[in-house]
Amino acid sequence: MSKSNKKKKKYISVTLVLILMAIIASGLAALTFFEMKRYEDGIIDVCATQQDSYVQLVIDQINLKENRTDQEIIENILSTLDSSSNRYWTFSKEQTMLYVKDALETNRYQSLTANSYYRSDSATSFIDNLIVNKVNHERIELDGKDYIASGALFEYGGEEYRICLLTNTTVLLDNNKFLGSKMELIIIFIVVYSLIFIMPILITILYNIMQKKIFVTGQELVEVNNAVERLNEKLTTDEIYDNRKNLFSLPTIKLFLDEYKDKRAAFPISFVAFKYGGNETVSRFFGKNCVTLGKHDIKFYDGRLHLALILCVKCNATKAKELSKMIKGDCEFLGSETAVSSSSLDDKFKKIMEIMGNPPLVSANGPKIERPDSRTESRYRAKENSEDKKNA
């Protein structure tokens, strides 16, 4: 499994979080609706209990005086009570409606029975279940409206009457203070649930953005590290194969000869041989001439015999002689040979070896790359000047 796949696995699915938060928010909204409903029911129940007391008070007032006619009860008591379309009284005897809201409404319903007026299932159930001398309340529906109905059966003058007080629930629930409090609670719930819904999604998005940046940064670091590694390899390779920075032991020249035999573009190839003095070191000798010698001049030495050989690629005999005159230091020019083609390369090499006294081309340590202490002329001169000051 690649590193990129591992990185991608750290991302959080925004869609999954969205679905999860939608489920949670829906659950909380349902719970809030249920609690708000209980809150409304509690308010209505408190008002219904007070309404029951009011109905009982009217029944007690009717019973204060005996031998009243139905009309007297209606005119002297029920008609004096406040009534409106949202809150009114009903009064019936057996199945006859005696009073509804006011005189006008009463005339409309006089020909109806109580069951005809209370025609919904909830209203009929309420009327049929009234108890003698005990006020009960229940939520009923009439003409598409929701009412709190408080009522009771009572006996007066040897007859049984039903009295009810109906209050539209909207009168209670649309009360300014209650409605204002309810709206404030709803707004608070909306804000809180919105935060509960939105914040995890925002955090998930920010987390994924951060993970993406970390992933991109990691990829960039990998690319930079790879570039640095390639650069280091190139620098190392250039340093190894840069003739101006390297000095090779004499036995390694066979490797170069085998390499150049198949390269026509390298010819003419010249060999320039020197013998540096006993007081001269290979580092000092090539340090003095590191600027003189170019990138096509490969340097070989035999430290035991104080021999120096320069293999010059793309160098004819004339250039080889000019180069020999430019060499500095305590040294003796032994001679030069130039091979113009691969067929003459071995012959010219044998001749230069004879000029140098046929030094051994086998090393106990095998082909070995050496570097002089001073790789540039400026560094060498600074070293030489400091030594001259000490000697003075």
Side-chain angles (χ1 to χ4, degrees):
M1 185 179 292
S2 63
K3 291 183 179 179
S4 61
N5 290 335
K6 290 182 179 178
K7 290 285 184 181
K8 288 179 181 177
K9 282 192 174 181
K10 292 184 179 180
Y11 292 165
I12 298 175
S13 173
V14 177
T15 304
L16 182 61
V17 174
L18 182 63
I19 294 172
L20 181 62
M21 296 315 301
I23 294 173
I24 293 174
S26 299
L28 291 175
L31 179 62
T32 302
F33 177 79
F34 175 73
E35 291 298 328
M36 289 297 295
K37 186 67 176 174
R38 287 185 60 192
Y39 180 47
E40 291 180 357
D41 291 342
I43 296 294
I44 290 174
D45 190 61
V46 170
C47 294
T49 302
Q50 294 177 347
Q51 184 172 275
D52 290 350
S53 299
Y54 191 23
V55 172
Q56 184 63 52
L57 182 63
V58 172
I59 294 174
D60 292 341
Q61 188 177 0
I62 293 173
N63 289 325
L64 284 176
K65 187 176 180 180
E66 298 180 354
N67 300 321
R68 283 177 175 165
T69 64
D70 296 342
Q71 191 64 29
E72 288 177 337
I73 294 173
I74 293 171
E75 291 179 356
N76 297 334
I77 299 177
L78 297 180
S79 295
T80 61
L81 301 175
D82 294 334
S83 65
S84 66
S85 60
N86 291 322
R87 182 184 178 91
Y88 62 90
W89 293 84
T90 64
F91 186 56
S92 61
K93 181 171 64 174
E94 296 180 353
Q95 291 297 319
T96 304
M97 294 296 296
L98 300 176
Y99 179 79
V100 178
K101 190 183 301 185
D102 54 33
L104 180 62
E105 290 294 318
T106 300
N107 292 332
R108 290 177 57 188
Y109 293 105
Q110 275 184 347
S111 60
L112 297 179
T113 63
N115 287 335
S116 297
Y117 181 79
Y118 295 102
R119 54 185 175 273
S120 67
D121 292 340
S122 57
T124 302
S125 175
F126 171 70
I127 290 296
D128 291 342
N129 293 321
L130 290 179
I131 302 173
V132 178
N133 295 328
K134 184 178 181 181
V135 181
N136 292 327
H137 63 263
E138 192 174 327
R139 293 183 70 168
I140 64 173
E141 182 184 350
L142 279 179
D143 298 328
K145 296 181 181 179
D146 191 25
Y147 289 91
I148 302 172
S150 296
L153 286 172
F154 70 95
E155 291 183 356
Y156 184 78
E159 295 184 286
E160 192 174 67
Y161 293 86
R162 290 190 188 91
I163 188 168
C164 297
L165 175 59
L166 282 71
T167 303
N168 195 329
T169 55
T170 56
V171 175
L172 304 175
L173 300 180
D174 290 346
N175 179 273
N176 289 337
K177 289 184 179 181
F178 174 78
L179 188 60
S181 175
K182 180 180 177 182
M183 291 305 299
E184 289 174 0
L185 287 175
I186 291 174
I187 291 171
I188 291 173
F189 287 136
I190 291 174
V191 172
V192 172
Y193 292 164
S194 297
L195 291 176
I196 292 175
F197 180 79
I198 295 172
M199 287 303 295
I201 298 174
L202 291 178
I203 292 173
T204 301
I205 293 173
L206 292 175
Y207 174 82
N208 288 344
I209 292 173
M210 187 181 300
Q211 287 298 318
K212 185 176 181 180
K213 288 182 178 179
I214 292 172
F215 174 73
V216 171
T217 302
Q219 291 294 99
E220 290 176 352
L221 287 175
V222 170
E223 292 177 2
V224 170
N225 289 336
N226 291 337
V228 170
E229 187 175 346
R230 289 193 298 269
L231 183 59
N232 286 335
E233 290 177 358
K234 187 176 184 302
L235 291 174
T236 303
T237 303
D238 291 345
E239 184 178 355
I240 291 174
Y241 293 101
D242 190 342
N243 298 328
R244 291 172 294 185
K245 296 180 180 179
N246 292 291
L247 178 64
F248 302 94
S249 60
L250 189 57
T252 59
I253 194 170
K254 291 182 177 180
L255 300 176
F256 288 88
L257 293 178
D258 293 337
E259 180 71 21
Y260 284 123
K261 280 181 181 180
D262 298 329
K263 293 183 179 179
R264 294 182 181 181
F267 291 89
I269 295 175
S270 296
F271 299 97
V272 184
F274 296 89
K275 184 170 185 179
Y276 56 88
N279 295 326
E280 188 78 271
T281 64
V282 65
S283 298
R284 287 171 60 86
F285 174 70
F286 282 109
K288 291 175 182 178
N289 297 283
C290 62
V291 176
T292 303
L293 300 173
K295 63 180 181 179
H296 295 297
D297 303 322
I298 306 172
K299 305 178 287 289
F300 302 91
Y301 79 100
D302 187 323
R304 185 174 59 85
L305 299 176
H306 289 206
L307 294 174
L309 178 63
I310 304 171
L311 188 154
C312 304
V313 179
K314 295 183 180 180
C315 178
N316 56 30
T318 303
K319 289 183 180 180
K321 288 180 180 180
E322 291 175 358
L323 179 63
S324 66
K325 295 177 181 179
M326 296 169 62
I327 296 299
K328 304 173 184 179
D330 179 15
C331 64
E332 176 189 354
F333 173 62
L334 299 179
S336 64
E337 293 289 336
T338 301
V340 295
S341 65
S342 60
S343 60
S344 61
L345 184 61
D346 290 337
D347 183 57
K348 296 299 181 180
F349 178 66
K350 287 180 181 179
K351 288 182 179 181
I352 199 67
M353 287 290 102
E354 289 175 0
I355 293 171
M356 295 173 67
N358 288 318
L361 295 181
V362 178
S363 174
N365 297 325
K368 181 181 179 182
I369 298 176
E370 301 274 351
R371 294 193 185 97
D373 295 335
S374 301
R375 301 186 187 181
T376 64
E377 190 176 37
S378 59
R379 287 175 60 187
Y380 172 74
R381 286 178 177 174
K383 183 178 179 182
E384 187 179 49
N385 292 336
S386 62
E387 289 179 352
D388 293 340
K389 290 180 180 179
K390 288 181 181 178
N391 295 331

